[in-house]
Amino acid sequence: MKSKFLNTIGSLLMVGALAVTFAACGGGEKPSNTPGKRTHDQTTHVVTGSDKTLHHNFVDGKCTMCDETTIFMQEAVYKSMKNVLDNAQAQQGTLESVWYKTRAYGVEKKFEGKKDVNGKDYDGSPLWIYKRAWVYLPYGYNKEDTSKKYNVMYMMHGNGLNEGYWFAEGSYKTDRSPYTGGYGTNNILDYLAMNKKCEDTIYVAMTMYQYYSGGAKTVEEREDVSKFVGQTAEMANIYSGYVSEDANDKADFDFGYTRTSDGSDSEIWKEWKYHLMPAIASKYNTYADASGIATKMADERSYGLTDEADAAFFTACEAARGHVAYTGLSRGGMSVSAMIANALEYCSYFAYESSGAPGTAQIANMKAKADTYPVNYLFISCGSQEGPEDADKNMLKVRDEMGWQQNEGSDIAKGDKIEFIQVNGTAHNYATWITNLYNFAQIAFKAPAKN
């Protein structure tokens, strides 16, 4: 009798348990004691259960105010990764410079139809200058192993700096960066490569300036900074190029040209496309097949390429665009905009660091080419002391106009296309930019590259 009663109770309990299980599977209500997920509203940034508008504060990949996660770091690397930033890694990449010949497109645009300082009419003919880029090669890079291909990230500096800034070369060894010899940036890139946080990447630091008025006519003269004694370190390094005697048909190249009004921001994409990109592709093992221009670009001082004569190379660059990224800090953001407006065919990852966001022209071009040349990711960032509210609004405007996905965590592997990240406690300086270089390198080349 007792046994039968217990069996009956057991059966009823089992039926009750199954009923609860089926209700849960069928979308029944959660038990009242299960807390809901806290999140930031993607538009207002109000946290669940709060009436305050607050930005995400990611620490170790987890927001301290809600349950969202991210692959990005928001804490400045000089605090969170000080040991990496200050100390050489076990596997170190190498840094070298490349000289290449390019048209001074900004000068040509500025002085077309005008007279130079000698009263001569400028007829619009090409003006040539030799320029330098700094190239970081990851540990183990072997030029002879052409079967191994590398992504390329191009890095633009800000106003008053030059291509030496990212790697603390030139005057920046002593007075423009806390990390002499470039080891701050180098160590971070070494760490990324050594710990497989992103795919193997070549980093190219370039400059926006297109004319140097100091009279240097050879690489040796340009690199001999001893003759600049008496000038400030900044002025000695702003114009890192030189004009050789055989660079132009004219004996003089003097237009009273100054960096503050050089007009090169909107024109820099031409130099990148026709001169720097082919120089890098022909010299290093990138994903762009440069075999068709190898002979033409064998001399680093080549005159560069054209659309018509070098169509095969540019077609190869289109195929490799998923392996190319471009970032610019401060004024360098204007060159990012120029790239988006004019060179989407050859680059698919972009970052604005303390430098705004795409405007009307850029959004229009991204929309028009979304099917054939999609932007794989757009990263926007600044320090918390730089007015992050405006930068965030700019990001949201681009996101909504493009109809891009931006889920919690903003992970490219999940299909997300855009994000804004503020670096906590930093201003318009290296601490902000090195942190977001670390972030951007991982988003651009962490997942398998896409065309």
Side-chain angles (χ1 to χ4, degrees):
M1 185 75 173
K2 184 176 180 181
S3 175
K4 184 176 181 181
F5 175 76
L6 290 175
N7 287 339
T8 300
I9 294 297
S11 297
L12 290 173
L13 290 173
M14 182 174 292
V15 170
L18 289 172
V20 172
T21 301
F22 289 142
C25 291
E29 295 183 2
K30 294 181 181 178
S32 60
N33 63 348
T34 302
K37 184 171 184 178
R38 289 173 58 83
T39 184
H40 274 79
D41 182 272
Q42 289 293 347
T43 301
T44 65
H45 292 285
V46 173
V47 182
T48 304
S50 170
D51 59 355
K52 293 183 179 180
T53 300
L54 300 167
H55 296 277
H56 285 302
N57 180 38
F58 292 109
V59 177
D60 294 330
K62 172 76 167 55
C63 181
T64 59
M65 294 176 285
C66 74
D67 297 326
E68 296 190 20
T69 59
T70 184
I71 64 173
F72 297 123
M73 175 182 293
Q74 194 169 0
E75 196 71 15
V77 296
Y78 80 87
K79 293 181 179 179
S80 56
M81 299 178 66
K82 189 175 187 342
N83 184 56
V84 173
L85 199 64
D86 289 348
N87 296 285
Q89 301 300 288
Q91 297 179 354
Q92 299 175 37
T94 57
L95 190 66
E96 61 186 43
S97 62
V98 171
W99 286 93
Y100 61 101
K101 192 171 186 177
T102 178
R103 283 176 60 177
Y105 295 101
V107 182
E108 294 175 12
K109 180 179 179 180
K110 179 176 175 61
F111 289 98
E112 186 173 4
K114 299 180 181 179
K115 297 181 183 296
D116 66 16
V117 294
N118 298 312
K120 296 180 181 179
D121 291 326
Y122 169 52
D123 59 8
S125 59
L127 299 173
W128 297 93
I129 184 172
Y130 294 114
K131 291 181 66 173
R132 176 179 56 193
W134 287 99
V135 180
Y136 168 94
L137 302 171
Y139 175 82
Y141 177 84
N142 180 3
K143 181 180 180 180
E144 305 304 320
D145 182 9
T146 56
S147 64
K148 171 68 174 175
K149 303 300 182 183
Y150 292 80
N151 302 300
V152 183
M153 182 183 294
Y154 293 88
M155 305 153 64
M156 181 61 80
H157 58 80
N159 197 42
L161 312 174
N162 71 1
E163 78 284 0
Y165 180 77
W166 272 113
F167 295 108
E169 290 294 330
S171 66
Y172 312 115
K173 287 183 179 180
T174 56
D175 64 354
R176 297 307 296 272
S177 170
Y179 297 99
T180 60
Y183 67 76
T185 302
N186 289 359
N187 289 351
I188 289 294
L189 298 183
D190 290 343
Y191 175 84
L192 287 168
M194 187 172 68
N195 291 278
K196 307 299 181 186
K197 287 186 172 292
C198 63
E199 297 174 346
D200 290 330
T201 303
I202 294 170
Y203 297 84
V204 181
M206 56 190 292
T207 180
M208 63 184 72
Y209 302 120
Q210 299 188 357
Y211 181 57
Y212 170 70
S213 58
K217 299 181 183 299
T218 67
V219 171
E220 292 72 25
E221 286 181 330
R222 175 55 259 179
E223 294 188 340
D224 180 11
V225 297
S226 62
K227 65 185 175 187
F228 298 117
V229 173
Q231 295 188 33
T232 65
E234 179 182 52
M235 291 308 297
N237 284 273
I238 287 301
Y239 300 109
S240 59
Y242 66 93
V243 179
S244 76
E245 293 177 340
D246 65 352
N248 300 280
D249 294 332
K250 301 177 179 61
D252 61 5
F253 189 138
D254 191 351
F255 292 88
Y257 192 53
T258 63
R259 67 176 176 84
T260 55
S261 59
D262 59 13
S264 61
D265 300 308
S266 63
E267 304 296 299
I268 196 66
W269 68 273
K270 297 176 183 176
E271 175 186 317
W272 179 85
K273 175 181 176 180
Y274 296 116
H275 307 283
L276 179 57
M277 182 173 67
I280 296 300
S282 62
K283 186 175 179 64
Y284 302 103
N285 299 332
T286 73
Y287 281 88
D289 181 5
S291 58
I293 63 166
T295 301
K296 187 171 184 178
M297 299 299 294
D299 179 357
E300 293 179 1
R301 303 173 189 182
S302 167
Y303 277 59
L305 308 181
T306 64
D307 277 322
E308 298 78 11
D310 303 284
F313 172 71
F314 290 118
T315 298
C317 290
E318 289 184 29
R321 68 185 296 274
H323 298 278
V324 182
Y326 190 104
T327 183
L329 64 88
S330 190
R331 176 182 168 182
M334 288 189 278
S335 72
V336 179
S337 290
M339 291 287 292
I340 293 176
N342 299 282
L344 276 181
E345 295 86 347
Y346 314 108
C347 184
S348 65
Y349 297 92
F350 300 92
Y352 288 83
E353 300 192 44
S354 305
S355 56
T360 302
Q362 290 73 41
I363 293 174
N365 197 43
M366 288 190 292
K367 282 184 175 180
K369 297 179 178 178
D371 292 334
T372 51
Y373 304 110
V375 171
N376 284 340
Y377 205 88
L378 181 63
F379 182 67
I380 299 172
S381 64
C382 71
S384 60
Q385 299 173 21
E386 296 186 86
E389 294 77 14
D390 288 339
D392 200 6
K393 289 177 183 177
N394 289 337
M395 181 278 292
L396 293 171
K397 181 177 184 292
V398 176
R399 182 199 69 182
D400 294 343
E401 289 198 30
M402 293 301 299
W404 279 344
Q405 178 178 317
Q406 183 204 22
N407 289 324
E408 61 184 50
S410 195
D411 189 342
I412 194 170
K414 297 178 181 177
D416 297 333
K417 302 276 284 186
I418 187 171
E419 182 59 290
F420 163 74
I421 286 289
Q422 72 173 36
V423 182
N424 292 333
T426 65
H428 198 72
N429 54 27
Y430 181 79
T432 298
W433 305 325
I434 189 64
T435 303
N436 282 314
L437 177 63
Y438 174 84
N439 282 329
F440 183 50
Q442 292 182 76
I443 195 65
F445 300 128
K446 184 180 183 71
K450 305 174 218 176
N451 191 29

